[in-house]
Amino acid sequence: MFANKFPPLTAYLLCLCSLGIFSAKANAAWVEDTQNIMGTRISISFWHDSAAIAQRALADGMAEMRRIDQTLSPYIETSDLALLNKNAAAAPQAISDELLFLVDKSLYYSRLSDGAFDITFASLGWFYDYRNKLQPSVKQRDKLLPAINYKWLQLNPKQKTLRFLHPNVRIDLGGIAKGYAVDRVIDILKGYGVEHATVSAGGDSRVLGDKGGRPWMVGIKNPRDGGDESAAPVIRLPLENVAISTSGDYERYFIDDQGHRVHHIINPKTGESASGLVSVTILGPQGADTDPLSTTVFVLGVEKGLALINQLRGFDAILIDSKGTVFYSDGLLAPDAAPATSGAAS
Ligand code: ADP
Ligand code: MG
């Protein structure tokens, strides 16, 4: 299998230790921190020649994650996003350059995927409560499904306004915000002269440069390891200068009375959880693209999802279906390997 080509993570870590990379000296310039922000685990780790400057860069990076959360969270009543949801059906609302960028990019992926990615999923999606195992009633579904349609979003880039053309529309940027936030933190670190870093927000990561002369190793979790943090990843990828986003049906979910897995990636056409795939990983230059693409491909399924990624320059994908079969985009297959759609490896 693909992963077996690479040394186990432990051996790799031992190797780094022996090189003295994880020095315990007070002036050590590898800096790392993990905090809970945006409803997920945010990790920042990087190398800097000056420990003092590194601490400032780290603080700025975490502050940026908190700022983005305060701006884009649908749960914070004063966030720009919550205010839009409250007011944009009544009249066009002025939006920041940041929101313009994110909504515009979201609309791009909606058009590209014929609506598989659609931030208006929240019109109905808002009524799922995964922690308390609640889903919308039949009445709510009938009323709110017609409000899921990106065509109800009237974005005016010149005036920098957004209007909802249907009274029941709600938007949620949960499918793009974390990847975007990771890009922002990488930019902040670069501004401090950082050349070797990894930043992650839940399933969205980006690596800058390498890690002390070797690639960063990023693992794709076994989707059915039951959330066991110590479980070994199914695939390990040696990476440099790339963003990687994974969408899975195992992060936020519950099993309903009929035995169906109800999870947080919604098929906009049905208003229900997308089925077929259990894990989708996308590799590409920026998190603001790999994040929405992982959600998009999850909704599209194996065939359409791989076709989309194979037509996009600079992106690759690793898909795992509900039987545990792994599928790779063309860019990850050896020239003589079997076609990805036939289930390359497992
Ligand atoms: P994670 O949030 O675990 O990183 P994803 O990147 O796949 O996982 O994003 C899932 C989130 O995307 C959901 O929690 C929700 O906020 C949003 N979302 C769900 N379905 C869609 C969809 N069809 N289009 C756009 N966004 C979606
Ligand atoms: Mg995503």
Side-chain angles (χ1 to χ4, degrees), residues 126-142:
W126 176 253
F127 296 92
Y128 283 91
D129 178 347
Y130 302 97
R131 205 168 291 169
N132 294 309
K133 305 189 178 190
L134 297 173
Q135 41 187 326
S137 65
V138 175
K139 212 168 145 198
Q140 278 172 320
R141 258 176 223 288
D142 290 348

Side-chain angles (χ1 to χ4, degrees), residues 115-121 130 172-176 178 201-204 245-248 251-252 264-268 291-292 294-296 298-299:
F117 187 83
D118 190 333
I119 57 174
T120 69
F121 84 92
Y130 302 97
D172 185 318
L173 295 168
I176 185 169
K178 290 203 279 274
D204 300 290
S245 292
T246 297
S247 287
E251 292 292 348
R252 231 169 296 153
H264 69 147
I265 301 171
I266 307 290
N267 181 342
D291 187 5
S294 67
T295 312
T296 305
F298 198 104
V299 173

Side-chain angles (χ1 to χ4, degrees), residues 29 59 91 149 154 225 306:
N149 192 332
Q154 191 176 58
D225 70 12
L306 279 177

Side-chain angles (χ1 to χ4, degrees), residues 59-69 98 181 184-185 188:
D60 277 9
M62 286 296 182
E64 178 67 355
M65 288 289 188
R66 278 190 289 272
R67 182 193 69 76
I68 292 173
D69 187 34
E98 183 168 59
R184 288 290 309 128
V185 174
I188 287 172

Side-chain angles (χ1 to χ4, degrees), residues 247-306:
S247 287
D249 69 357
Y250 49 87
E251 292 292 348
R252 231 169 296 153
Y253 77 96
F254 63 91
I255 307 291
D256 73 7
D257 297 341
Q258 274 87 50
H260 295 140
R261 180 179 279 258
V262 181
H263 65 84
H264 69 147
I265 301 171
I266 307 290
N267 181 342
K269 305 267 187 301
T270 63
E272 293 178 352
S273 304
S275 56
L277 286 168
V278 299
S279 169
V280 171
T281 298
I282 305 289
L283 296 150
Q286 296 195 112
D289 295 293
T290 56
D291 187 5
L293 276 171
S294 67
T295 312
T296 305
V297 171
F298 198 104
V299 173
L300 285 176
V302 175
E303 209 168 308
K304 285 187 183 162
L306 279 177

Side-chain angles (χ1 to χ4, degrees), residues 27-296:
N27 63 352
W30 268 114
V31 184
E32 48 191 321
D33 191 19
T34 300
Q35 295 189 16
N36 291 326
I37 310 171
M38 301 178 94
T40 194
R41 279 165 83 80
I42 306 291
S43 295
I44 302 178
S45 165
F46 61 94
W47 173 263
H48 200 289
D49 293 338
S50 154
I53 295 175
Q55 286 305 327
R56 285 212 324 261
L58 181 63
D60 277 9
M62 286 296 182
E64 178 67 355
M65 288 289 188
R66 278 190 289 272
R67 182 193 69 76
I68 292 173
D69 187 34
Q70 292 293 318
T71 312
L72 302 182
S73 169
Y75 307 108
I76 299 172
E77 272 180 41
T78 52
S79 76
D80 289 3
L81 189 98
L83 292 174
L84 266 179
N85 278 334
K86 208 167 147 202
N87 302 320
Q93 302 295 306
I95 56 172
S96 64
D97 288 335
E98 183 168 59
L99 260 166
L100 178 63
F101 169 79
L102 289 168
V103 174
D104 187 49
K105 200 175 259 302
S106 296
L107 288 172
Y108 168 77
Y109 284 113
S110 297
R111 289 189 289 265
L112 195 67
S113 65
D114 191 23
F117 187 83
D118 190 333
I119 57 174
T120 69
F121 84 92
S123 308
L124 180 61
W126 176 253
F127 296 92
Y128 283 91
D129 178 347
Y130 302 97
R131 205 168 291 169
N132 294 309
K133 305 189 178 190
L134 297 173
Q135 41 187 326
S137 65
V138 175
K139 212 168 145 198
Q140 278 172 320
R141 258 176 223 288
D142 290 348
K143 182 175 168 207
L144 299 174
L145 193 57
I148 303 184
N149 192 332
Y150 64 93
K151 290 180 182 154
W152 298 136
L153 300 180
Q154 191 176 58
L155 184 67
N156 187 327
K158 275 214 185 99
Q159 312 249 320
K160 291 196 204 165
T161 59
L162 177 62
R163 179 176 196 176
F164 300 165
L165 298 176
H166 187 292
N168 295 329
V169 167
R170 246 174 204 280
I171 59 170
D172 185 318
L173 295 168
I176 185 169
K178 290 203 279 274
Y180 166 74
V182 163
D183 290 340
R184 288 290 309 128
V185 174
I186 288 282
D187 284 347
I188 287 172
L189 296 181
K190 279 185 183 169
Y192 279 96
V194 171
E195 292 174 355
H196 307 274
T198 178
V199 176
S200 68
D204 300 290
S205 306
R206 185 161 155 191
V207 300
L208 183 65
D210 58 22
K211 186 174 190 179
R214 285 163 181 260
W216 295 93
M217 298 299 292
V218 178
I220 299 177
K221 286 172 68 165
N222 176 349
R224 294 292 178 260
D225 70 12
D228 177 0
E229 294 270 325
S230 63
V234 279
I235 295 172
R236 289 191 194 91
L237 300 164
L239 301 176
E240 289 177 24
N241 293 315
V242 75
I244 174 166
S245 292
T246 297
S247 287
D249 69 357
Y250 49 87
E251 292 292 348
R252 231 169 296 153
Y253 77 96
F254 63 91
I255 307 291
D256 73 7
D257 297 341
Q258 274 87 50
H260 295 140
R261 180 179 279 258
V262 181
H263 65 84
H264 69 147
I265 301 171
I266 307 290
N267 181 342
K269 305 267 187 301
T270 63
E272 293 178 352
S273 304
S275 56
L277 286 168
V278 299
S279 169
V280 171
T281 298
I282 305 289
L283 296 150
Q286 296 195 112
D289 295 293
T290 56
D291 187 5
L293 276 171
S294 67
T295 312
T296 305

